Amino acid sequence: MKLGVVGLPNVGKSTLFNAITQTSNAQAANFPFCTIEPNTGMVMVPDHRLDVLDSMYHPKKVTPTTVEFVDIAGLVKGASHGEGLGNKFLSHIREVDAIVHVVRCFDDPNIIRADCSSDPVSDIETVNLELIFADLETVQRRKDKAQRALHGGDKMAQAENALCDRMIQHLSDGKPARTLEMTDDEKAIADSWFLLTTKPVIYAANIAEEDLGKDEKDVKDLDKVHAIAEQEHAEMLVISAAIEEEISQMDEEEKNEFLADLGIGQSGMERMITACYHLLGLISFLTCGEDECRAWTIKKGTKAPQAAGKIHTDFEKGFIRAEVVPFDTLQELGSMQACKEKGLVRSEGKEYVMKDGDIVLFRFNV
């Protein structure tokens, strides 16, 4: 999973990126475009189930799944026509699976604000419109190509041309492509266009330190960001980049005490990853043994053979069955042997759809 962190200059993107990835790779400075080339960092996905398996099996290695975060340069009005870093910025967004759009929801006279804006709604519209303008150009090119093919009697071109017309109207109304109602066939066509506004979005509302832990109704502008996220079928996350920066420098015990004092159970990073999993329709299954306990990320709806293929292609080719027990059952009984004795380890075949938290042993033969 590759997440692109975007937003206007000086909204806290690079501060948040450094805190989440626990690095200082991204320069965070009080002027636009201090980030030019994208910075990347790998983050281990927190999973308490691995801690339980670790204490149960004492393996040589514990391997969580990972997320790659990409800190992308701040966007400005006119980027779709080359302003700021223009097309370079947009090309970096094309390479990610989902967008974390950082929105400034705090006032600080010491930090320069892009376009002198003091309204997060305006900030969101600036970024979204640039992505929409870029997509309009893409769809218009596809329409021109489809119309040329129509003259040659290409039936597929007819369907593509019709979708282009609908998409152009939708984008021209200032709406992202992901909110256009499409059939499965139309979605397949749109996927081939690699549009920017089809990518899932999480709005990360960056609030002041003193506002973290407050009721969201009492924090300025959060209701506006929430309304936009709801309208666009996007996720929203309230976060303080400054607090995340502090947390990143603490050990586990200090961090837990600090979060408890603030009245929040999880760090912003943990909540962000959870939101990303939900947004992208991802789940994790686990494998365990004396050599390694490991989490594996798959799409919801993945069947057992394809899940086995995540481990090794031979597992999928020679799949025989999956021996499965839910994590909660294993934790309650304390061992796989105890689960087997009670007949709670299921033998599942090729049509079994994996569930989040499945503990699995794959049987295969090649």
Side-chain angles (χ1 to χ4, degrees):
M1 184 165 60
K2 193 173 184 179
L3 306 175
V5 185
V6 308
L8 294 178
N10 297 340
V11 296
K13 289 187 308 83
S14 296
T15 299
L16 182 60
F17 172 84
N18 287 340
I20 289 172
T21 58
Q22 296 189 352
T23 68
S24 56
N25 290 342
Q27 184 183 358
N30 189 20
F31 58 86
F33 307 119
C34 67
T35 300
I36 297 177
E37 291 300 326
N39 301 288
T40 62
M42 300 300 296
V43 177
M44 291 185 294
V45 176
D47 193 332
H48 77 282
R49 297 171 299 197
L50 282 175
D51 298 332
V52 174
L53 294 176
D54 185 21
S55 62
M56 192 180 292
Y57 284 89
H58 306 291
K60 297 172 185 173
K61 184 166 66 168
V62 175
T63 308
T65 191
T66 57
V67 174
E68 183 178 2
F69 282 89
V70 184
D71 177 41
I72 299 172
L75 178 146
V76 294
K77 191 172 183 179
S80 60
H81 301 295
E83 293 294 324
L85 297 177
N87 293 329
K88 178 181 273 194
F89 171 92
L90 298 172
S91 69
H92 293 152
I93 294 181
R94 291 192 196 281
E95 297 170 4
V96 302
D97 299 308
I99 296 170
V100 178
H101 183 165
V102 183
V103 184
R104 179 172 165 174
C105 293
F106 66 91
D107 291 318
D108 187 336
N110 297 315
I111 299 178
I112 299 167
R113 190 142 195 165
D115 299 331
C116 299
S117 167
S118 60
D119 180 14
V121 174
S122 174
D123 293 353
I124 289 171
E125 286 178 351
T126 297
V127 173
N128 285 353
L129 283 174
E130 293 309 318
L131 302 184
I132 286 170
F133 291 152
D135 281 350
L136 268 170
E137 288 187 16
T138 299
V139 179
Q140 188 59 59
R141 286 196 299 269
R142 296 303 299 234
K143 179 175 173 59
D144 293 344
K145 183 179 178 181
Q147 286 187 319
R148 288 195 299 271
L150 274 175
H151 298 306
D154 189 332
K155 291 183 179 179
M156 283 296 295
Q158 188 173 355
E160 184 163 8
N161 186 61
L163 180 58
C164 283
D165 287 337
R166 290 182 59 220
M167 185 67 77
I168 288 170
Q169 182 59 57
H170 188 78
L171 293 169
S172 297
D173 290 340
K175 299 174 184 176
R178 63 181 170 274
T179 62
L180 178 65
E181 293 289 333
M182 291 184 279
T183 65
D184 289 343
D185 288 342
E186 287 176 327
K187 285 178 184 176
I189 294 170
D191 285 347
S192 72
W193 298 344
F194 300 104
L195 300 179
L196 298 172
T197 62
T198 56
K199 293 184 183 295
V201 171
I202 293 176
Y203 287 108
N206 186 16
I207 63 174
E209 296 178 59
E210 59 269 21
D211 287 335
L212 195 63
K214 286 184 182 179
D215 190 308
E216 291 186 12
K217 290 181 290 186
D218 299 326
V219 181
K220 181 186 174 186
D221 294 327
L222 286 186
D223 58 335
K224 297 177 183 177
V225 179
H226 187 272
I228 290 172
E230 198 169 60
Q231 184 181 359
E232 294 183 2
H233 313 310
E235 295 273 341
M236 177 186 160
L237 179 74
V238 179
I239 201 165
S240 170
I243 291 291
E244 291 302 311
E245 192 171 33
E246 287 184 52
I247 290 172
S248 69
Q249 298 166 22
M250 298 177 183
D251 61 33
E252 195 66 23
E253 188 175 340
E254 283 180 307
K255 183 184 87 169
N256 291 336
E257 288 179 8
F258 185 68
L259 292 173
D261 289 342
L262 288 171
I264 53 178
Q266 290 182 306
S267 70
M269 179 199 74
E270 292 167 330
R271 288 182 289 116
M272 184 179 292
I273 290 173
T274 300
C276 290
Y277 262 61
H278 179 260
L279 192 66
L280 292 171
L282 302 175
I283 60 172
S284 295
F285 71 91
L286 302 109
T287 54
C288 53
E290 292 180 359
D291 287 333
E292 183 181 33
C293 291
R294 182 164 180 168
W296 305 84
T297 299
I298 53 174
K299 280 271 191 184
K300 284 181 184 175
T302 299
K303 292 184 178 180
Q306 287 69 50
K310 288 282 290 184
I311 301 174
H312 198 286
T313 53
D314 284 349
F315 283 29
E316 181 175 359
K317 290 175 185 174
F319 179 87
I320 299 173
R321 68 180 184 276
E323 295 177 4
V324 183
V325 63
F327 169 80
D328 290 343
T329 302
L330 179 63
Q331 184 179 25
E332 180 184 346
L333 296 183
S335 71
M336 189 65 79
Q337 185 58 39
C339 293
K340 287 180 179 178
E341 289 171 0
K342 290 188 175 289
L344 297 175
V345 178
R346 307 188 311 273
S347 181
E348 302 286 1
K350 292 182 177 181
E351 294 304 309
Y352 176 69
V353 177
M354 302 291 292
K355 296 179 177 60
D356 187 54
D358 276 347
I359 310 290
V360 192
L361 173 63
F362 292 109
R363 300 292 185 183
F364 69 102
N365 182 33
V366 289

